[in-house]
Amino acid sequence: MNFQLSALRGFLLPAAEKLPFSDVVAITFTGITVVFLGLIILIIFITLMGKIFAAINKKGNENKTPPAEKPVITPAPAPVQTTQQPLSDSDDDEIIAAITAAVAMMSAQDGTTYKVKSIRQSRPSGGARPAWAMAGLRDNTTPF
């Protein structure tokens, strides 16, 4: 059995030759050079592909008709209230007018017509998150 193993060792594993230090340095340097050249080629390739696709997208966008100019919106200064008072019917009318004006501005920008059918206050059920918290959560967790 020892004879067979020693014969296989000589066949499969040639006699261990000690490589000179200069060969070890040359092999190491060649390996590192090949790896970095491959990385540089990949970087160049990906950059060129990005520029090509950007040019294609830009060319596709030029063929489309430009959107109509959007009106400049300047918000009115908000009234300052020093004391909190319960909302009255006139305040409800003002809130409805503000919401309707916002919807009208959106419809003017989109070029479509929207209609306000009803306005009601949202009430979180149970332990639901507020609308702003849900919007932030959705914005931060939506992939790309």
Side-chain angles (χ1 to χ4, degrees):
M1 178 107 169
N2 282 341
F3 174 71
Q4 291 174 347
L5 287 178
S6 64
L8 286 175
R9 262 192 213 132
F11 179 72
L12 295 176
L13 302 170
E17 295 180 20
K18 196 165 193 183
L19 291 175
F21 184 71
S22 61
D23 288 349
V24 172
V25 171
I27 291 170
T28 304
F29 182 72
T30 303
I32 291 173
T33 304
V34 167
V35 168
F36 279 106
L37 284 176
L39 289 173
I40 290 170
I41 291 170
L42 279 173
I43 290 170
I44 292 170
F45 178 74
I46 291 172
T47 304
L48 288 175
M49 292 299 292
K51 289 183 180 183
I52 289 170
F53 286 124
I56 290 171
N57 286 340
K58 186 176 182 182
K59 185 177 180 182
N61 289 339
E62 287 176 357
N63 294 339
K64 295 179 182 176
T65 58
E69 289 194 27
K70 296 181 180 177
V72 178
I73 302 170
T74 55
V80 178
Q81 294 181 348
T82 56
T83 60
Q84 291 190 3
Q85 300 170 352
L87 292 176
S88 64
D89 289 338
S90 64
D91 290 337
D92 289 340
D93 292 339
E94 290 174 6
I95 292 171
I96 291 171
I99 292 172
T100 307
V103 171
M105 289 301 297
M106 284 179 19
S107 67
Q109 288 178 352
D110 293 345
T112 58
T113 304
Y114 297 112
K115 182 178 181 182
V116 177
K117 291 186 177 182
S118 67
I119 298 174
R120 58 189 169 100
Q121 184 177 2
S122 65
R123 300 187 191 277
S125 60
R129 294 184 172 122
W132 286 107
M134 287 301 295
L137 181 67
R138 186 174 44 251
D139 184 44
N140 290 326
T141 58
T142 303
F144 305 109

